Amino acid sequence: MAVAMKIGVEEIFAEVTYQKKKIFAEVIAALHDTFKKGENKALLKCLGSRRRLYRLLRLVIDGIKRLNLPKKNTKSWIEDVKKGENLARKCSKSLRWICCLKVCCPTESDEDSARSCEDDTEANSTRNNGAEISLNLKITLEKEDSNLDKKRVFCGVRRPPDFTVGFDKPMMELKTLLLKEEVHQLLLTAPAGCGKTTLVQMLCQDKQIKGMFANNILFVNISKTPNVKVIVQNLFSYKGYQPKYQIQSEVDAIRQLPQMLSHIGPNPILLILDDVWLGSESLFEKFKFNIPNYKILVTSRTAFPRFKYAYNLKQLNDVDAMTLFCHSAFLQDESSYIPEEDIKKIVRGCGGFPLVLKMIGGSLCGQHAVVWHSRLLKWSDGHFFFNSDTELLPHLQKSLEFPDDKIIIKECFMDLGSFYAEQRISAAILIDMWAELYELDEDGIHTIANLQELTIRNLANLEMTRKDASEVKSYYNEDFVTQHNILRELALHQSSQEPIGQRKRLIMNISGTNLPKWWMEQKQQPINARLLSISTDESFLGSWCNIQAPKVEVLVLNFRTRTYTLPEFVEKANELKVLIVSNCGFFHAEIKKFQLLWSLPNLKRIRLEKISISSLCKTLVPLKSLRKISLFMCNIGIAFENCTIQGSYALPNLKEINIDYCNDLVELPVGLCDIVHLKKLYITNCHKLSILPKGIGKLVNLEVLRIRSCIDLSELPESIRSLHKLSILDISDCLSISKLPKYIGELCNLKVLNMKGCLRLCNPLPESTIDLKQLMIVVCDEERAKLWEPIKDVLTKLNIEVAKKDIKLNWLLK
C-alpha cells in the first residue's frame, strides 16, 4: 500500500485571504519546525507510511488548539481532522490515499467578512456575517487508475526559490514580449532543467505583472496525460465559481470555462500552462478563447512550431553558473578548501543547467577536497554525473520519452554522443551514418527531419544555412548540429546501460594509455555494437589492443594527434559500411595503415576530416564497394593532383565525391574523369581551385555538379556539353567565371542552374541557351536576371529566382 501525501505550503498561502493566513500561520510554522528538525524529512517529498500520516494529522490538531480561537470555529476543524485520521487507519491495501490541505476560495463578500472578523478577533470577540472561515482537511480516496493530476491541486503560482541567479535579464525580456499588445499566446521553451518554471514564478512576482493581472493569474501544471475536465474543475474551484451544470465531459468543461473567464474581470487574465509535453500541444488550442485581455503563456521542453511568438531560455553563463554552484555547495569562499580549478571543471561540466548545478553542488556540499577531486576524476574517466546523482537522471530522462512511431528519434539522439562535446557535427556525416543504420534516404531529407525534431525538443541544435529553391531538398553539406555537453552526457549514459557486449552502440573516450579494462582482457568477448565510436586525446600513443567487432557497420574515429594509425581490428570488420576519421587537432594529420581497408567487402562511405591526403596516395588500395568519399578541410598537396586514379579498377562503384574547404586544391587529378559511374561531384569552398579537367565530359552519368565558392575558377570546360544526364549545375559564388560554356544548350536534362554570386558573368548568354527546354529554375542576382529576360518567352518552364544577398562567414568557424 502506498500513502502519497503532498503538501504545498506555498500553494496554500497563494490561495487564502489575509485572515485565513493569520489563522493558519502557526499550523504551518509547526510543520516547518518539524521539517527543519529533520523528524519527517520524507514529508517534503512523499509520506511513505500511515504512521507519518497520523503524525501530521495530530500535528494539525495540536496547532489548531494552540491558536486559542473560539471553540465554535475550531471544533468542526478538529472533528474533520480526527475523522480523517480514523478513515486513514481503515485504508485498504488496494487503494491509494492522497492527503491534501485545501483552503476554500473566498468570494468578495467572504473577504469583507474576513476583515470584520479580524477586527473583532483583536477585540476578543467574533462576529459572524454569514461567511464562515473554514479550514477543511480533505482525505480523498481514489482508485489506482485515476487520471487525476496529483502534482498540483491549486491554480496559484508558487513563489520562486529564495536564491536565483541569471534570471533577471530573461525575466525582463519575457515580460516585454508578453505585454506586447499583439501577443496573445506565448511559448517559453528550453531543455529540461533550465529553470522555465522558476522564470515564470519570478515573472508572476513582478510588480508590473501583478498590477496588471492582479488575482487573475491562473497556473496549471500539465501532466504527461492531461485531463481537461479536472483542469477546468480546478480553475472553477480556484476562482470560487460553481459551474452552471455538472461537468461530465471534456466538452462540458471547454463550453463552461470561457463563461467563467468572462466574469472574473475587470483585470486581464493570464493562463499559464506549465510543462506541456510533446503530443499534448493540441491542449493549448482548447484553451484559446476570444476573450478581451486574455493571454496564454505555455512552458515546454518542446519548441512547438505553431507558436508565432516564442522565447528560448538559454543556459546560465559561466559567472552565474559558478555563483549558483557555490551557493548550492555552500562554498562561501570558492578557494577556501577546494582547488579552484576543480570547481571550474565541475561547473563547466554542468553545462549551465540550473538543475544540474544545484543537484551536483548539493551532492558535494560538505565533502572533503579529496572527495571532490575523486568525483572529478571519475567523471572525466567516463563515469557520468548521473551515476553519482540519482535525482538528476529522472528529470532529464523525461525529455527522452518518445512514442513508438518516433523511437528512431531517440536512437538518433544517442548517436550524437559519438562525437566530442560541443563539436560542430556536419549534417553530411549524420546522413551517411543514418542512411546505413536506419535505412534513411541518401539525399538526407529524413535525416534533416529527425534533426529538426531533436531541435524542437531542445535535445540538439540544428544550424541551417539559408537555401535557394534548388537546394532545399538536396544540399545539406553546409548545415551542422551541436549538442550541449550535459545532453551528450545523457546520451552516453543512456547508451551505457547494457553490458559492453550487448550494446548496439559502443562509445569510448580514451585518454593517454588508459584503455578500458574490458579491452585489455585476454578472453575478450566479441562486441555486438552496430555503431562504434572511439575518441582519443593528444596524449594517446596509438597503441591499440585488438578487439572483435564483427557487427560494426559505422566506425567513428575522433583524434587530436598529428599522426594516427588505424586500429588493426578494422581489417576484420567485414560488416563495416561507414568510416568517419575526424581529426579535431590544430594541424593536419597523417593516416597510417590505410591499406587495412582494401579487404572490406561492404565499405560504402568514407569521410576524412583534416587529413593529409598526400600521405594516402602512397598506399592507395582498391575499394571495390565504395560509393561515396568525402574530404573535409584536408591537405590535398601536389601528390594528390599528380596521383594516378584508376577509376574503373580501384573505385568501380563510386557514385559521389565531396571535396569541401580543401584550401590548397589547385586542380583535380586527371584520372578522376575515368570514374564513369560517378553521379554527384561536389567541390565547394576550395578557393585556389583554378581549373577543372578538360575530360570532365567523360563523366557521362553525372547528375549533379556543384562547384561552389571556388573563387579562382575562371571557366567551365567546353566538354561539359557531353553531360546529358546532368540535372543540377551549381556555380554559385564562383567570382571569376565570366561566361557560360558556348554549348551549354546541349545539357538536355538540366533543370536547375544556380549562378548566384557570379559577379563577373556579364556577357550575353550563349545562343544555345534557348535549347535548355527542361530548365525550370535559375538562381541569380538582379543583374544576372536581366540576362535571362529575353529568353523567358521561349523557355516556358523557366522560373527566375532572384537570390538575396547572403554574406557567408561559415568558413570562419571551420
Side-chain angles (χ1 to χ4, degrees):
M1 177 187 67
V3 178
M5 180 167 187
K6 299 188 179 180
I7 297 180
V9 174
E10 303 294 348
E11 295 175 56
I12 293 173
F13 272 80
E15 302 296 321
V16 298
T17 60
Y18 175 81
Q19 175 64 12
K20 290 184 180 179
K21 290 178 183 177
K22 182 177 179 181
I23 295 173
F24 201 62
E26 191 166 347
V27 176
I28 299 302
L31 288 172
H32 269 198
D33 287 342
T34 301
F35 297 157
K36 291 178 181 178
K37 292 176 182 178
E39 295 173 3
N40 270 326
K41 290 183 179 178
L43 194 60
L44 288 171
K45 299 177 182 177
C46 177
L47 290 179
S49 67
R50 281 179 289 176
R51 179 181 300 174
R52 290 175 180 169
L53 176 60
Y54 303 154
R55 288 178 182 174
L56 177 68
L57 296 174
R58 179 55 58 190
L59 185 61
V60 173
I61 292 176
D62 294 342
I64 291 173
K65 288 180 178 180
R66 284 162 48 196
L67 290 175
N68 294 321
L69 295 175
K71 291 184 178 180
K72 65 178 181 179
N73 288 343
T74 61
K75 183 177 180 180
S76 62
W77 302 346
I78 296 173
E79 289 177 354
D80 285 344
V81 171
K82 288 183 176 179
K83 287 179 181 178
E85 182 177 0
N86 292 333
L87 187 59
R89 293 182 184 276
K90 300 176 181 180
C91 178
S92 169
K93 290 184 179 181
S94 62
L95 298 173
R96 180 184 301 174
W97 288 89
I98 298 173
C99 176
C100 51
L101 292 170
K102 179 176 179 182
V103 181
C104 297
C105 301
T107 61
E108 292 182 4
S109 60
D110 291 336
E111 294 183 0
D112 292 333
S113 300
R115 294 189 189 98
S116 299
C117 183
E118 178 184 359
D119 295 336
D120 292 342
T121 300
E122 293 178 356
N124 295 322
S125 63
T126 303
R127 183 166 64 250
N128 185 356
N129 291 332
E132 180 181 0
I133 301 171
S134 61
L135 174 65
N136 297 326
L137 181 66
K138 290 190 175 181
I139 307 294
T140 305
L141 182 65
E142 296 189 74
K143 296 289 184 180
E144 286 283 353
D145 60 351
S146 171
N147 290 323
L148 184 63
D149 182 7
K150 305 175 181 63
K151 291 186 177 179
R152 190 181 300 274
V153 176
F154 301 103
C155 299
V157 186
R158 290 186 177 186
R159 295 185 63 84
D162 293 334
F163 184 84
T164 58
V165 62
F167 285 99
D168 291 341
K169 182 180 177 181
M171 198 273 285
M172 292 302 298
E173 293 174 343
L174 182 65
K175 181 178 75 171
T176 301
L177 189 56
L178 178 67
L179 294 182
K180 288 185 177 181
E181 185 177 352
E182 66 272 19
V183 176
H184 301 290
Q185 295 90 34
L186 175 60
L187 172 68
L188 169 60
T189 182
C194 277
K196 298 182 292 295
T197 302
T198 298
L199 180 58
V200 169
Q201 291 168 345
M202 293 182 65
L203 177 74
C204 294
Q205 293 297 317
D206 180 79
K207 290 183 178 180
Q208 188 176 357
I209 294 294
K210 292 172 72 175
M212 178 177 181
F213 295 100
N215 294 325
N216 287 344
I217 299 179
L218 310 174
F219 187 99
V220 179
N221 182 265
I222 306 299
S223 64
K224 185 179 178 181
T225 54
N227 188 317
V228 174
K229 176 183 171 182
V230 171
I231 291 173
V232 173
Q233 286 173 335
N234 285 340
L235 289 171
F236 268 95
S237 176
Y238 174 69
K239 296 304 296 182
Y241 282 84
Q242 289 292 330
K244 288 187 177 180
Y245 52 88
Q246 186 177 2
I247 298 177
Q248 297 182 341
S249 66
E250 181 177 303
V251 175
D252 291 343
I254 296 302
R255 283 177 180 173
Q256 296 198 64
L257 181 58
Q259 299 174 16
M260 186 268 284
L261 295 176
S262 299
H263 287 85
I264 64 174
N267 297 101
I269 302 168
L270 175 61
L271 174 63
I272 301 170
L273 304 177
D274 187 47
D275 196 20
V276 177
W277 287 60
L278 184 66
S280 299
E281 58 266 35
S282 60
L283 179 75
F284 154 75
E285 299 291 339
K286 297 175 182 177
F287 287 92
K288 289 175 62 176
F289 306 114
N290 188 20
I291 299 175
N293 300 318
Y294 171 58
K295 293 178 180 283
I296 301 176
L297 175 60
V298 174
T299 75
S300 178
R301 292 184 291 270
T302 303
F304 298 120
R306 68 176 64 190
F307 279 85
K308 182 178 180 181
Y309 300 98
Y311 183 83
N312 196 330
L313 178 62
K314 303 298 183 183
Q315 290 85 13
L316 298 179
N317 60 37
D318 292 344
V319 175
D320 290 334
M322 177 66 76
T323 301
L324 179 59
F325 179 81
C326 290
H327 175 82
S328 302
F330 290 97
L331 295 176
Q332 301 301 322
D333 180 0
E334 295 176 11
S335 58
S336 57
Y337 67 97
I338 305 298
E340 183 178 357
E341 190 59 31
D342 284 359
I343 298 175
K344 289 182 177 180
K345 287 181 180 179
I346 292 175
V347 171
R348 284 196 297 268
C350 292
F353 287 75
L355 175 67
V356 180
L357 288 159
K358 288 191 288 187
M359 288 189 169
I360 298 300
S363 70
L364 291 170
C365 177
Q367 299 289 346
H368 192 275
V370 175
V371 177
W372 282 66
H373 192 65
S374 173
R375 190 79 62 85
L376 184 61
L377 289 176
K378 287 183 178 180
W379 289 336
S380 63
D381 194 31
H383 295 79
F384 315 112
F385 286 123
F386 312 110
N387 290 343
S388 57
D389 196 303
T390 56
E391 293 184 8
L392 175 60
L393 183 59
H395 286 279
L396 297 182
Q397 277 183 325
K398 292 178 182 178
S399 301
L400 300 182
E401 296 187 8
F402 293 86
D404 292 340
D405 61 336
K406 290 191 174 182
I407 198 66
I408 188 175
I409 308 294
K410 182 177 180 180
E411 299 296 327
C412 291
F413 165 77
M414 292 193 288
D415 288 345
L416 295 181
S418 303
F419 304 91
Y420 285 121
E422 309 293 346
Q423 180 180 340
R424 290 159 54 91
I425 309 168
S426 171
I429 294 178
L430 301 174
I431 290 172
D432 287 343
M433 289 173 52
W434 296 343
E436 300 301 335
L437 289 174
Y438 310 122
E439 298 182 351
L440 301 187
D441 62 294
E442 296 189 4
D443 289 332
I445 297 175
H446 289 97
T447 292
I448 297 299
N450 289 349
L451 292 173
Q452 287 174 334
E453 179 84 14
L454 290 174
T455 300
I456 288 173
R457 288 174 174 263
N458 284 300
L459 293 172
N461 184 32
L462 173 62
E463 295 287 344
M464 299 188 70
T465 56
R466 187 168 64 201
K467 300 186 183 301
D468 303 311
S470 64
E471 305 167 330
V472 172
K473 296 182 180 180
S474 59
Y475 185 69
Y476 304 105
N477 286 13
E478 294 181 355
D479 304 332
F480 62 90
V481 185
T482 58
Q483 187 178 49
H484 209 286
N485 180 53
I486 200 67
L487 294 174
R488 179 178 181 269
E489 291 286 313
L490 178 61
L492 295 177
H493 177 80
Q494 294 295 110
S495 299
S496 65
Q497 295 308 293
E498 297 175 322
I500 297 290
Q502 298 178 17
R503 296 177 191 173
K504 52 187 173 184
R505 72 178 57 74
L506 181 57
I507 302 173
M508 296 186 291
N509 296 281
I510 301 175
S511 176
T513 58
N514 298 322
L515 298 176
K517 292 181 180 179
W518 64 266
W519 201 341
M520 305 292 290
E521 294 176 358
Q522 293 182 354
K523 297 181 179 180
Q524 182 192 114
Q525 297 297 319
I527 61 173
N528 292 314
R530 296 180 65 203
L531 168 60
L532 175 59
S533 171
I534 305 176
S535 299
T536 55
D537 63 6
E538 298 88 343
S539 60
F540 180 65
L541 300 178
S543 178
W544 296 101
C545 292
N546 194 27
I547 65 173
Q548 301 178 52
K551 296 184 179 180
V552 167
E553 297 177 39
V554 176
L555 176 61
V556 180
L557 300 174
N558 303 305
F559 65 96
R560 299 181 185 273
T561 52
R562 297 189 66 172
T563 302
Y564 188 78
T565 304
L566 292 182
E568 294 284 349
F569 68 81
V570 170
E571 188 176 17
K572 298 180 180 179
N574 292 330
E575 296 298 321
L576 186 63
K577 298 175 182 177
V578 181
L579 173 64
I580 299 165
V581 183
S582 178
N583 170 22
C584 297
F586 185 77
F587 299 100
H588 288 87
E590 292 189 3
I591 298 294
K592 295 183 177 181
K593 294 192 176 182
F594 198 76
Q595 63 271 22
L596 292 175
L597 304 180
W598 79 272
S599 62
L600 300 180
N602 293 300
L603 184 60
K604 299 178 182 178
R605 304 163 190 265
I606 295 178
R607 180 180 175 91
L608 305 178
E609 296 189 355
K610 227 172 190 179
I611 304 299
S612 177
I613 300 301
S614 58
S615 64
L616 300 182
C617 292
K618 303 173 185 178
T619 56
L620 278 180
V621 293
L623 298 171
K624 303 287 187 178
S625 300
L626 194 66
R627 298 185 57 178
K628 178 180 178 181
I629 185 167
S630 302
L631 307 178
F632 176 73
M633 292 187 74
C634 289
N635 191 345
I636 299 298
I638 298 177
F640 175 74
E641 296 168 5
N642 296 328
C643 182
T644 302
I645 301 177
Q646 297 177 341
S648 58
Y649 169 72
L651 303 167
N653 290 297
L654 191 64
K655 300 293 191 295
E656 180 175 344
I657 295 177
N658 279 275
I659 303 177
D660 191 21
Y661 284 99
C662 295
N663 292 329
D664 68 334
L665 176 64
V666 177
E667 60 179 297
L668 296 172
V670 176
L672 182 143
C673 299
D674 294 328
I675 308 176
V676 294
H677 295 289
L678 200 66
K679 291 186 176 182
K680 297 179 181 180
L681 176 59
Y682 295 175
I683 305 174
T684 54
N685 302 295
C686 297
H687 299 150
K688 294 184 179 181
L689 180 69
S690 58
I691 188 171
L692 294 179
K694 292 183 179 180
I696 198 170
K698 294 195 294 183
L699 301 176
V700 293
N701 290 295
L702 202 63
E703 298 174 0
V704 180
L705 176 60
R706 293 192 188 275
I707 314 293
R708 295 170 63 105
S709 299
C710 297
I711 58 178
D712 280 355
L713 183 66
S714 58
E715 64 178 3
L716 298 176
E718 286 295 337
S719 66
I720 198 174
R721 63 195 289 186
S722 301
L723 304 180
H724 296 157
K725 292 185 179 181
L726 194 68
S727 61
I728 297 177
L729 174 60
D730 184 353
I731 56 173
S732 58
D733 297 312
C734 290
L735 303 179
S736 299
I737 291 182
S738 59
K739 63 179 181 179
L740 295 178
K742 181 177 180 180
Y743 298 104
I744 192 172
E746 295 185 22
L747 300 178
C748 54
N749 278 300
L750 188 65
K751 294 180 175 60
V752 177
L753 172 59
N754 191 333
M755 46 190 287
K756 173 186 65 176
C758 296
L759 303 182
R760 293 188 183 179
L761 208 161
C762 300
N763 296 320
L765 299 177
E767 293 182 3
S768 66
T769 306
I770 61 174
D771 296 326
L772 296 172
K773 302 299 183 182
Q774 300 300 317
L775 190 61
M776 301 175 66
I777 298 175
V778 170
V779 183
C780 57
D781 55 29
E782 291 183 3
E783 290 298 319
R784 261 44 63 183
K786 296 176 183 178
L787 300 176
W788 289 90
E789 288 296 331
I791 61 174
K792 284 186 67 176
D793 294 337
V794 178
L795 302 179
T796 56
K797 297 180 181 180
L798 181 60
N799 177 37
I800 307 297
E801 180 182 332
V802 178
K804 297 179 181 179
K805 293 182 179 180
D806 186 15
I807 300 176
K808 296 192 302 181
L809 298 176
N810 286 349
W811 62 275
L812 293 174
L813 303 174
K814 298 295 182 179

